[in-house]
Amino acid sequence: MSRSDDARDSARSQQDAPVEPEGPVVVKETPLPWKQIAPLVAMRLAEPINLNLILPFMYKMIEGFDIADSPKDISHYSSILYMSFSISQTLTIMHWGRLSDRIGRRPVLIAGLIGILVVSVLFGFTKSFAMAVVVRMATGVFAGNGAVMKSAMAEIADDTNRSRMMALLPLTWNVGTMVGSGIGGVFSNPATQFPGLFGNFKLFIYFPYLLPCLMGSTVAAFGLLVGLFNFKETLIKPTQPTHEEAVSEQPAVAGSSTEGTPLLAQSAAVSAAPVKQSSMKSLMTPLVTRVMITNAIMCFAYNMCDQLYPIFAATDPRDGGLGLDPRSIGLSLGIEGIVVVYLQLVVYPRLERKFGVLYCYRRGLSFAIPYLVCMPFLSIIAAHLQTSASSFSMTYEYIGMWVILMSLMTMRITSNVMAYTSINMMITNMAPTRADLGFMNGTQQLAMSVMRIFAPAISGILWSWSIKHSLPFPFNSHFVWMLSATLVSIVLWQSYFIPDSVNKFAADQPKPIASTDESED
């Protein structure tokens, strides 16, 4: 062959060679698969609405049971009511997670919704404290859908849209919490609050808290129907592909699907491969243990004050509270829902994409500290309003108190959104394989459930003790709030020891392959 022929062949091969793109490759975000997400959101709403609708009227409900020696002891019984739910949830949450890894996410979610629907109606018929405790324990047994839904959401996401999709679950939880609190505050004791509509209904006179419970069960029934007819299983069972399937199977590129195409199809090759679940010992690495501990302490601090707030808001201002009625408590909790949607859908995804999950986690913790420190000082304004109820300046002071209260509650919900969304993503990101998602999320939910057992008990005991004794600051009515602020500060400090590796989804990262020599040994 002549030299000129060689030159022509070389030039032709260079022309046929693929051209490498210049600069960094920009990966387009995969559209969200709303056909799967929408049923998950509908099912998720049932749990927070039904769990939190009792908060505004819990103080009055326990007071009506006539078991507390004085109003200052009501926090003891509210703590027991909280604990009864958390104890049963702690004993069952891990079983729901592992069961969903074996039989699928869908049947476990359906079973949980059926249970929530039934126990919500039963709670409206409670006429004694003992019955209320039993029903709340039954509620905890069926409150395991949160961990299962995290696993399902992670399974239909990819690296380009995982932050947006994982943010939807805490968004749904927060919106459900606000809606549930609003329902409980506005529609409790309807015969008294709305005598023109319900004054003649003997059922609502004898069971003053039945109406909000029925409304909550309606939401659960709606989620159940949506899940039955619209939600498709996300857990792909391991199968051995045929030779033809293995040859014809082509890898999918993130961002190449359409909004109507389920993301499960993109990762079918990965998910369908036989993957053995990791052992508990191999999963609980030092990093996972550190993150789980910080998550537990954070949950403990947040739950102490989340449990305390409705009691604090209903307590007489002379004892360090705000003296609000159930409707005002429900509105103060429900109005946060306006902020939640913007934070969860707009602010958080942008911050997470730009700075990472760990950064958002730290910023969320930072917002909690001023909220916890400042909240108990509102009782000073409430006490002044109580003593000067006939003065003309009361209107301006009352508006001022509500402006401050809503500002602090906005800080609270900002902290909750950023901290809880980030910790959920960190736990999911640390799962080494998709087969371990149920265990990882179940373990996190277990740790949070354990904290929900102790947090209400300690919070109620300390609150009752602090308002019964005339001790100086910070051992007065500020004590629980200051203790929570201290714990959050410790978690914030510990978060700076967590590496940036938690920002990436480990299950989709390439795994190191042992060398031939090592395998022979």
Side-chain angles (χ1 to χ4, degrees):
M1 184 179 291
S2 65
R3 186 174 298 176
S4 60
D5 292 337
D6 292 339
R8 282 195 299 269
D9 293 341
S10 177
R12 188 179 297 111
S13 63
Q14 291 178 4
Q15 292 176 357
D16 295 338
V19 179
E20 295 293 334
E22 297 182 0
V25 178
V26 179
V27 180
K28 184 180 178 182
E29 180 179 319
T30 307
L32 300 185
W34 286 107
K35 289 183 178 180
Q36 281 287 78
I37 294 176
L40 274 176
V41 170
M43 291 188 288
R44 183 58 173 152
L45 272 174
E47 193 171 303
I49 288 177
N50 284 281
L51 297 185
N52 291 282
L53 61 81
I54 75 166
L55 296 181
F57 61 75
M58 184 171 57
Y59 186 94
K60 291 293 184 182
M61 186 182 207
I62 295 174
E63 188 178 50
F65 290 150
D66 198 24
I67 56 173
D69 295 333
S70 71
K72 294 181 180 181
D73 293 318
I74 290 179
S75 62
H76 284 305
Y77 295 95
S78 67
S79 300
I80 296 173
L81 206 56
Y82 268 94
M83 287 174 58
S84 61
F85 166 83
S86 300
I87 290 173
S88 58
Q89 185 188 47
T90 301
L91 296 175
T92 56
I93 187 67
M94 286 294 294
H95 299 288
W96 290 119
R98 276 302 195 189
L99 183 62
S100 74
D101 286 337
R102 293 197 301 269
I103 68 173
R105 318 300 184 196
R106 187 174 180 272
V108 173
L109 293 174
I110 296 301
L113 284 170
I114 294 173
I116 291 293
L117 191 158
V118 173
V119 295
S120 180
V121 175
L122 289 177
F123 194 82
F125 287 101
T126 56
K127 294 297 292 182
S128 67
F129 182 73
M131 183 178 178
V133 169
V134 171
V135 175
R136 286 292 286 181
M137 290 189 73
T139 306
V141 171
F142 296 103
N145 280 358
V148 180
M149 287 183 181
K150 292 175 192 175
S151 301
M153 194 69 82
E155 287 165 341
I156 61 177
D158 63 24
D159 284 339
T160 66
N161 58 17
R162 182 165 288 107
S163 63
R164 287 184 64 198
M165 291 181 64
M166 293 300 291
L168 289 173
L169 289 181
L171 165 65
T172 307
W173 175 270
N174 286 316
V175 170
T177 298
M178 308 312 149
V179 172
S181 300
I183 291 174
V186 174
F187 296 100
S188 63
N189 201 0
T192 301
Q193 294 203 70
F194 307 101
L197 289 174
F198 302 104
N200 296 325
F201 282 82
K202 294 184 178 180
L203 183 66
F204 294 136
I205 296 175
Y206 191 69
F207 300 105
Y209 307 109
L210 176 60
L211 181 59
C213 293
L214 289 176
M215 296 176 72
S217 65
T218 302
V219 176
F222 173 76
L224 176 62
L225 292 175
V226 171
L228 282 172
F229 295 106
N230 294 281
F231 181 66
K232 297 179 181 179
E233 181 58 63
T234 62
L235 180 66
I236 299 178
K237 299 293 181 64
T239 57
Q240 187 66 36
T242 63
H243 176 72
E244 291 77 8
E245 291 174 340
V247 172
S248 62
E249 193 174 63
Q250 297 294 327
V253 179
S256 63
S257 66
T258 63
E259 189 165 340
T261 304
L263 291 179
L264 289 172
Q266 299 181 25
S267 56
V270 177
S271 301
V275 179
K276 184 180 179 180
Q277 291 180 341
S278 306
S279 65
M280 183 184 298
K281 183 178 180 180
S282 64
L283 288 173
M284 298 305 293
T285 63
L287 174 58
V288 172
T289 303
R290 179 185 291 274
V291 174
M292 289 287 187
I293 290 174
T294 59
N295 170 55
I297 298 174
M298 180 198 75
C299 183
F300 180 83
Y302 279 36
N303 273 273
M304 276 209 303
C305 291
D306 287 348
Q307 183 272 339
L308 178 62
Y309 174 75
I311 304 300
F312 161 78
T315 300
D316 192 291
R318 291 170 296 184
D319 295 325
L322 299 181
L324 301 180
D325 57 22
R327 178 181 290 188
S328 298
I329 296 172
L331 291 176
S332 70
L333 291 169
I335 203 169
E336 295 175 332
I338 302 172
V339 183
V340 168
V341 177
Y342 181 73
L343 284 172
Q344 202 82 64
L345 293 183
V346 179
V347 176
Y348 184 85
R350 291 180 180 177
L351 289 176
E352 191 277 331
R353 282 196 299 269
K354 186 174 182 179
F355 301 106
V357 175
L358 190 55
Y359 172 88
C360 296
Y361 182 54
R362 292 166 181 163
R363 297 291 75 78
L365 295 172
S366 300
F367 273 105
I369 297 172
Y371 150 70
L372 294 170
V373 172
C374 296
M375 180 61 80
F377 285 99
L378 275 181
S379 64
I380 299 175
I381 303 176
H384 179 69
L385 287 171
Q386 189 180 53
T387 56
S388 60
S390 59
S391 65
F392 179 77
S393 62
M394 181 195 69
T395 303
Y396 300 101
E397 294 175 354
Y398 185 78
I399 293 174
M401 186 190 78
W402 271 92
V403 169
I404 297 173
L405 177 61
M406 287 297 97
S407 299
L408 292 175
M409 296 298 278
T410 300
M411 296 181 71
R412 168 186 175 270
I413 198 61
T414 301
S415 173
N416 283 358
V417 166
M418 298 190 70
Y420 277 116
T421 304
S422 299
I423 199 68
N424 289 343
M425 289 189 65
M426 282 194 284
I427 297 297
T428 299
N429 286 349
M430 289 188 298
T433 68
R434 291 176 180 266
D436 298 310
L437 284 170
F439 176 80
M440 293 291 288
N441 288 314
T443 303
Q444 181 210 10
Q445 201 73 31
L446 173 64
M448 295 172 67
S449 298
V450 171
M451 293 301 104
R452 290 188 181 119
I453 294 175
F454 297 104
I458 295 175
S459 178
I461 292 171
L462 292 179
W463 172 254
S464 181
W465 169 81
S466 64
I467 64 177
K468 282 183 176 180
H469 299 82
S470 301
L471 297 174
F473 176 86
F475 300 103
N476 53 3
S477 58
H478 295 241
F479 184 62
V480 178
W481 302 97
M482 294 300 296
L483 176 61
S484 298
T486 302
L487 292 174
V488 173
S489 300
I490 293 173
V491 174
L492 178 60
W493 169 61
Q494 283 292 313
S495 70
Y496 286 93
F497 296 95
I498 299 175
D500 291 337
S501 60
V502 298
N503 292 326
K504 298 294 184 181
F505 188 52
D508 283 351
Q509 301 302 312
K511 304 295 186 295
I513 301 176
S515 64
T516 306
D517 294 339
E518 291 175 351
S519 62
E520 290 177 355
D521 293 341

